[in-house]
Amino acid sequence: MVVDDQVMVRAGLAAIVGSQPDMEVVGEAGDGAAAVTLAGTVSPDVVLMDVRMPGVDGLTATARLTAGPNPPRVLVLTTFHQDEYVFQALRAGASGFLLKDAEPTDLVAAVRTVAAGEAMLSPVVTRRLIDAFAAGTLAAPPAPDPRIAALTPRERDVLTAIAQGLSNAEIGALLGITTGTVKVHVNALLGKIGVRDRVQATIVAYDTGLVSPGSGRHPGGDLRV
């Protein structure tokens, strides 16, 4: 489903997505309120969501969509680089954040990524997110936190590595376990802390104080499950 208040932008996004043999545009909406209503009818797997729209904006709509049963994956698209949009979108439950000046191939790849249950951030957004935590822009309350307390020591190690931007293969090499075992730990810890993907898990790791600002490395690319 494509959500944008500009008809031409909506049409362009729909055309890019609809040109793919494995994708179908099931609906279009021009504001957040209409998007929430329409999603209840067409049940999209992925929602391409604009941020700034009249009435109910994209961030509010994202929070409403992801709070419901069997929520769609929301990929937020915007022309704006301001950090507050990035952080608000992620905290609202978005699975990805992509700038509108991205290439069509990047958009298609991002849709496939979030549809597969993974998280997607453009590299520049990933770096800005980690930098903001490192600079103390996003304050983290002190541990302990019940979400972290529920994790096993190994799951805590894996969550720490996720927050530092490591891939599953890198986590496996660091901890001396197989990539398959890492995936098992990732799935388990996501369920225990109540999030759906690595981006949300990273936010929890910093929010709870499990990872200290400045302790993580910059990922070389996108955050993916």
Side-chain angles (χ1 to χ4, degrees), residues 3-65:
V3 185
D4 197 293
D5 63 327
Q6 299 183 47
V7 177
M8 291 294 291
V9 173
R10 258 199 339 262
L13 293 172
I16 293 171
V17 173
S19 68
Q20 302 302 305
D22 57 339
M23 298 181 189
E24 177 186 2
V25 178
V26 296
E28 298 180 27
D31 63 75
V36 174
T37 300
L38 182 60
T41 301
V42 300
S43 300
D45 297 307
V46 176
V47 177
L48 301 182
M49 181 72 74
D50 188 24
V51 173
R52 298 186 68 176
M53 296 181 291
V56 177
D57 63 28
L59 301 178
T60 302
T62 295
R64 292 178 182 175
L65 287 172

Side-chain angles (χ1 to χ4, degrees), residues 169-190:
E170 291 170 327
I171 295 173
L174 176 68
L175 300 180
I177 57 180
T178 67
T179 301
T181 301
V182 173
K183 290 181 179 179
V184 171
H185 287 310
V186 171
N187 290 334
L189 72 87
L190 291 180

Side-chain angles (χ1 to χ4, degrees), residues 61-84:
T62 295
R64 292 178 182 175
L65 287 172
T66 57
N70 301 315
R73 311 288 293 191
V74 178
L75 179 61
V76 173
L77 301 173
T78 183
T79 56
F80 300 94
H81 291 68
Q82 288 96 328
D83 289 338
E84 63 265 25

Side-chain angles (χ1 to χ4, degrees), residues 115-198:
E118 303 175 2
M120 173 71 198
L121 287 180
S122 64
V124 65
V125 171
T126 300
R127 287 192 295 271
R128 289 162 69 91
L129 177 65
I130 299 301
D131 284 344
F133 277 116
T137 304
L138 303 181
D145 182 278
R147 291 171 294 180
I148 301 303
L151 301 179
T152 67
R154 180 59 85 192
E155 289 167 352
R156 261 178 247 156
D157 291 339
V158 172
L159 178 55
T160 299
I162 289 174
Q164 293 173 338
L166 274 64
S167 67
N168 284 348
E170 291 170 327
I171 295 173
L174 176 68
L175 300 180
I177 57 180
T178 67
T179 301
T181 301
V182 173
K183 290 181 179 179
V184 171
H185 287 310
V186 171
N187 290 334
L189 72 87
L190 291 180
K192 287 183 179 180
I193 65 178
V195 300
R196 295 192 297 164
D197 55 50
R198 294 171 91 99

